[in-house]
Amino acid sequence: MSKRYSVAIVGATGAVGEKMKEQLEKREFPIKHIKFLASKRSVGKTINFQNQTYTIEEATPEAFEGVDIALFSAGGSVSKVLAPEAAKRGAVVIDNTSAFRMDIDVPLVVPEVNPQDLHAHKGIISNPNCSTIQMVVALEPIRQAYGLNQVVVSTYQAVSGAGTHAIKELEQQSQTFGETKDTQATILPVKSAEKHYPIAFNVIPQIDVFDDNGYTYEEMKMINETKKILHMPDLAVSATCVRLPVVSGHSESVFIQIDKEDVTVDDLKKLLADSKGIQLQDNPAQQEYPMPLYAEGEDPVFVGRIRKDLSNNKGFHLWIVADNLLKGAALNSIQIAEAMIEEGIL
Amino acid sequence: MSKRYSVAIVGATGAVGEKMKEQLEKREFPIKHIKFLASKRSVGKTINFQNQTYTIEEATPEAFEGVDIALFSAGGSVSKVLAPEAAKRGAVVIDNTSAFRMDIDVPLVVPEVNPQDLHAHKGIISNPNCSTIQMVVALEPIRQAYGLNQVVVSTYQAVSGAGTHAIKELEQQSQTFGETKDTQATILPVKSAEKHYPIAFNVIPQIDVFDDNGYTYEEMKMINETKKILHMPDLAVSATCVRLPVVSGHSESVFIQIDKEDVTVDDLKKLLADSKGIQLQDNPAQQEYPMPLYAEGEDPVFVGRIRKDLSNNKGFHLWIVADNLLKGAALNSIQIAEAMIEEGIL
């Protein structure tokens, strides 16, 4: 009988924690024992897992004794304190926050792209930012086949990336058709920020707070994480990250420049159709292209609208959509654990 | 007393026709006489203009006798038939459809950008596509000051660009939160297309029908019209055009490469703040940036989120928002008429 693991989910009551639980069930992850951890506030609440009822326990350092795999999604500050404690106690931490992503000692992994990086782990592995994950799944096969020297991405991001309260706010504001300007907004773009704007029937070009260079943290995450995951520190990557009135599913308009001359759209379509984790949806004649409404609840990264740039033989445009809570977060975390088992690390 | 003009609005009952009427009133356009024309179906309906009631007349060739300025916004097929008839009868046609935009004999004009092109008119002047107009207003001062050699734009377009039925559909679908996938869609992305998709809580990467090269007509309009208006036939322009659940206001994420080295973000901000038709909204520290919800009903093109590319000294990113029915259509048409008066052509 193959090995089974003791798993803990930290942040079990959040949007991503909930999806992590669902993915463990759906993918029949080899679980020996599971515990659900959260802040003191949620202790005592119950969670149903594989038809059994579990009581949420407090996330303390001691709670990680005997845990093999700790899946963190309770915010960066929780991870910063508790992930090292979990690792110290022998757990492998798979952290869905940005706390350790750019740490040189922490692998930042998308299993379809850089599973080999898992071998260098020192107890903590970071799950990349949602918008980064879906993009690099599409970029890596292109990089391997044709080289890659420039990426310009504009995102179309769903509110679920800002948590369940943001979804609720979109739902409420959506009732105010024609009067949305006067709606009260309290969550987006950033809960802790000074100003909040309605998201229903609006577009907010701010995700996360601003860096001094005029880019948002979300944009800097996409730029820096893409370079790290692809092992291309000098790749020209730029990002503009934008929030939309969509519940789930991030979309991305991506311009790339490859190294090789004379690659065709059909070459790219064939390559991506055969690549791991990708579902090609690209048939303009049939109006087939990826859309977030239909990506919700689905595992793959959907790629379509592949076009050659009309002024640049090495330029291409792609439209990339994925469920930001699944491939962008919970699913990728579980896939990291599965890849570690497959690679013989766990 | 300065000259006054006989004006006709063709397509008076449509979303843009209505805005044209409002703009003529608001801007106190020097009107001697006005008539409202539409298809047979609308004949007899009444329209209120400057506190007087007008009855809609049928748009026939003869209706343009004695008209100085004919503002067309009743679809390309109507313009193709009736615009030459109006011009033949001495009217200057300002056409808001795509019918003549790429015609070598027809000036394609944004008054802040290329008013001099008006002098070459032969009776018909084209109003550019909404998404093109707002972009070139921002690009032209940059081209003049620093040169311009590449434009990559991804759009975030409102449903009002697809007419009043599309707005109605968004309103109805917005009531179906969580069940939008099963909603009936009949308008978007293109009424005449085979498949329709819900727009509420969704993103549709198709505006207008597909060209054989994989680009949509909307994308090809942005590419070709930008080159024509800027008089840069060899400019590298590419576009990805996307429809969103926003009522009014198109947004654009634009990457540009200029010719000059070492231009700073502050240089660009100063330049654009002083440019005609632009309102700079760019203060990340105060979370100030353009958003479509607040651009609705406003005249300017709003520009913000100006950033220097982190890998390219000549690269910049801009976020451009405008009311697609005003600067993108009705307002620009009236401004063309005003520019012709100013230039002494009318």
Side-chain angles (χ1 to χ4, degrees):
Chain A
M1 192 185 143
S2 61
K3 197 174 162 187
R4 305 193 79 83
Y5 301 87
S6 176
V7 175
I9 295 182
V10 186
T13 56
V16 173
E18 172 79 12
K19 296 284 179 192
M20 284 173 162
K21 186 199 74 137
E22 285 173 23
Q23 288 295 315
L24 289 173
E25 287 175 315
K26 187 179 159 198
R27 299 174 73 86
E28 301 182 346
F29 193 85
I31 288 174
K32 183 169 64 189
H33 177 262
I34 190 163
K35 57 168 76 175
F36 296 96
L37 306 176
S39 65
K40 223 175 211 168
R41 212 181 47 230
S42 297
V43 170
K45 285 186 190 166
T46 58
I47 275 184
N48 196 46
F49 180 78
Q50 290 179 338
N51 298 321
Q52 287 188 44
T53 303
Y54 291 81
T55 303
I56 292 177
E57 303 168 46
E58 190 181 352
T60 61
E62 296 70 32
F64 296 98
E65 296 286 355
V67 168
D68 300 314
I69 304 168
L71 301 162
F72 274 73
S73 191
S77 54
V78 173
S79 288
K80 270 188 190 141
V81 174
L82 287 180
E85 296 289 344
K88 205 195 296 178
R89 285 167 176 81
V92 166
V93 170
I94 300 172
D95 181 30
N96 191 48
T97 78
S98 63
F100 305 101
R101 285 182 191 148
M102 295 313 296
D103 189 327
I104 200 163
D105 285 331
V106 174
L108 183 65
V109 176
V110 180
E112 293 90 338
V113 178
N114 60 336
Q116 72 285 357
D117 288 352
L118 290 167
H119 291 276
H121 87 89
K122 296 179 178 170
I124 301 177
I125 292 141
S126 280
N127 193 67
N129 185 40
C130 46
S131 41
T132 310
I133 292 175
Q134 64 185 73
M135 185 168 77
V136 296
V137 166
L139 294 184
E140 173 62 9
I142 298 172
R143 185 197 69 78
Q144 279 189 25
Y146 307 120
L148 183 68
N149 57 65
Q150 191 185 7
V151 179
V152 179
V153 56
S154 297
T155 71
Y156 301 68
Q157 295 185 230
V159 298
S160 61
T164 47
H165 292 294
I167 299 176
K168 198 77 205 158
E169 190 157 278
L170 171 59
E171 181 174 8
Q172 285 164 353
Q173 292 172 351
S174 296
Q175 308 306 315
T176 65
F177 193 87
E179 288 156 22
T180 314
K181 232 181 286 193
D182 307 319
T183 302
Q184 216 209 342
T186 60
I187 308 286
L188 293 168
V190 180
K191 196 168 188 314
S192 63
E194 204 177 316
K195 292 181 188 166
H196 299 98
Y197 305 113
I199 187 63
F201 313 111
N202 195 20
V203 171
I204 305 179
Q206 180 189 356
I207 298 182
D208 212 331
V209 296
F210 281 98
D211 201 339
D212 290 338
N213 64 2
Y215 287 78
T216 60
Y217 276 32
E218 182 84 356
E219 289 159 355
M220 292 311 299
K221 283 178 210 165
M222 282 198 83
I223 293 168
N224 293 327
E225 294 180 18
T226 298
K227 293 179 186 188
K228 177 169 175 174
I229 296 165
L230 297 180
H231 294 273
M232 299 183 78
D234 299 323
L235 180 65
V237 189
S238 71
T240 299
C241 292
V242 179
R243 188 81 70 187
L244 309 176
V246 166
V247 182
S248 268
H250 288 352
S251 308
E252 296 174 348
S253 170
V254 185
F255 167 71
I256 58 169
Q257 191 176 254
I258 61 174
D259 293 336
K260 202 159 177 289
E261 295 265 8
D262 299 330
V263 174
T264 67
V265 166
D266 277 346
D267 291 337
L268 269 197
K269 283 188 185 177
K270 270 180 211 141
L271 175 74
L272 294 175
D274 290 340
S275 296
K276 252 195 301 186
I278 293 177
Q279 186 169 327
L280 188 73
Q281 279 187 335
D282 196 343
N283 187 346
Q286 297 295 319
Q287 294 180 262
E288 282 170 16
Y289 34 69
M291 287 181 280
L293 195 59
Y294 303 98
E296 200 178 337
E298 303 288 332
D299 288 355
V301 172
F302 298 92
V303 184
R305 300 274 355 251
I306 302 173
R307 286 154 293 151
K308 190 152 192 167
D309 194 273
L310 300 175
S311 322
N312 176 351
N313 186 267
K314 298 174 179 176
F316 287 90
H317 302 274
L318 313 169
W319 177 254
I320 303 171
V321 178
D323 187 319
N324 53 300
L325 296 185
L326 295 183
K327 186 55 190 170
L331 172 60
N332 196 68
S333 289
I334 309 303
Q335 286 173 324
I336 288 174
E338 291 171 348
M340 293 186 81
I341 295 172
E342 214 166 285
E343 300 266 330
I345 307 169
L346 255 176
Chain B
M1 192 186 144
S2 62
K3 198 174 162 187
R4 304 193 79 83
Y5 302 87
S6 177
V7 175
I9 296 182
V10 186
T13 56
V16 173
E18 172 78 14
K19 297 283 180 191
M20 284 172 163
K21 186 199 74 138
E22 286 174 22
Q23 289 296 313
L24 289 173
E25 287 175 316
K26 187 178 160 197
R27 299 173 74 85
E28 300 182 348
F29 192 84
I31 288 174
K32 184 170 63 192
H33 178 262
I34 190 163
K35 57 169 75 176
F36 297 96
L37 306 176
S39 65
K40 222 177 215 165
R41 213 181 46 230
S42 297
V43 170
K45 285 186 190 166
T46 59
I47 276 185
N48 195 47
F49 180 78
Q50 290 180 340
N51 298 320
Q52 287 187 46
T53 302
Y54 292 80
T55 303
I56 291 177
E57 303 168 47
E58 190 180 351
T60 61
E62 297 70 29
F64 296 98
E65 297 286 356
V67 168
D68 300 314
I69 303 167
L71 300 161
F72 274 73
S73 191
S77 54
V78 173
S79 289
K80 270 187 189 142
V81 174
L82 288 179
E85 296 289 345
K88 207 194 294 176
R89 286 166 177 81
V92 165
V93 171
I94 300 171
D95 181 29
N96 191 48
T97 77
S98 62
F100 306 102
R101 284 182 192 149
M102 295 313 296
D103 189 328
I104 199 160
D105 286 331
V106 174
L108 182 65
V109 176
V110 179
E112 294 90 338
V113 179
N114 60 336
Q116 72 285 356
D117 288 352
L118 290 168
H119 291 276
H121 87 88
K122 297 179 177 170
I124 302 177
I125 292 140
S126 279
N127 193 68
N129 185 41
C130 46
S131 42
T132 310
I133 293 175
Q134 65 184 73
M135 185 168 76
V136 295
V137 167
L139 293 184
E140 174 61 9
I142 299 172
R143 184 197 69 77
Q144 279 188 26
Y146 307 121
L148 184 68
N149 58 64
Q150 190 185 7
V151 179
V152 179
V153 54
S154 297
T155 71
Y156 300 68
Q157 295 185 230
V159 298
S160 61
T164 47
H165 292 294
I167 299 176
K168 198 76 205 156
E169 189 157 280
L170 171 59
E171 183 174 6
Q172 285 163 352
Q173 291 171 354
S174 295
Q175 308 307 314
T176 65
F177 193 87
E179 288 156 22
T180 314
K181 232 181 286 193
D182 307 320
T183 302
Q184 216 208 345
T186 60
I187 308 286
L188 292 168
V190 180
K191 196 169 188 316
S192 63
E194 203 177 316
K195 293 181 188 165
H196 298 99
Y197 304 112
I199 187 63
F201 314 111
N202 195 20
V203 171
I204 305 179
Q206 179 189 355
I207 298 182
D208 212 333
V209 296
F210 280 97
D211 201 338
D212 290 338
N213 64 3
Y215 287 78
T216 60
Y217 276 33
E218 182 85 355
E219 289 160 356
M220 292 311 299
K221 284 178 209 164
M222 283 199 83
I223 293 168
N224 293 326
E225 294 180 17
T226 298
K227 294 180 186 187
K228 178 170 175 175
I229 297 165
L230 298 180
H231 294 273
M232 298 184 79
D234 299 323
L235 180 65
V237 189
S238 71
T240 299
C241 291
V242 179
R243 188 81 71 187
L244 307 177
V246 166
V247 181
S248 268
H250 288 353
S251 308
E252 295 174 348
S253 170
V254 185
F255 167 72
I256 58 169
Q257 192 176 254
I258 60 175
D259 293 337
K260 201 159 176 287
E261 295 266 9
D262 298 330
V263 174
T264 67
V265 167
D266 278 345
D267 292 337
L268 268 196
K269 283 187 184 177
K270 270 181 211 140
L271 175 74
L272 293 175
D274 290 340
S275 295
K276 254 195 300 186
I278 293 177
Q279 186 169 325
L280 188 73
Q281 279 187 337
D282 196 344
N283 187 346
Q286 296 295 319
Q287 294 180 262
E288 282 170 17
Y289 34 69
M291 287 181 281
L293 195 60
Y294 304 98
E296 200 178 338
E298 303 289 331
D299 288 356
V301 172
F302 298 92
V303 184
R305 300 269 4 247
I306 302 174
R307 287 154 292 151
K308 190 153 193 166
D309 194 274
L310 300 176
S311 323
N312 177 352
N313 187 267
K314 299 175 178 177
F316 287 90
H317 302 272
L318 313 169
W319 178 253
I320 304 170
V321 178
D323 186 320
N324 52 301
L325 296 185
L326 295 184
K327 187 55 190 169
L331 172 60
N332 197 68
S333 289
I334 309 303
Q335 287 173 324
I336 288 174
E338 292 171 349
M340 292 186 82
I341 296 172
E342 214 165 284
E343 300 267 330
I345 308 169
L346 254 176

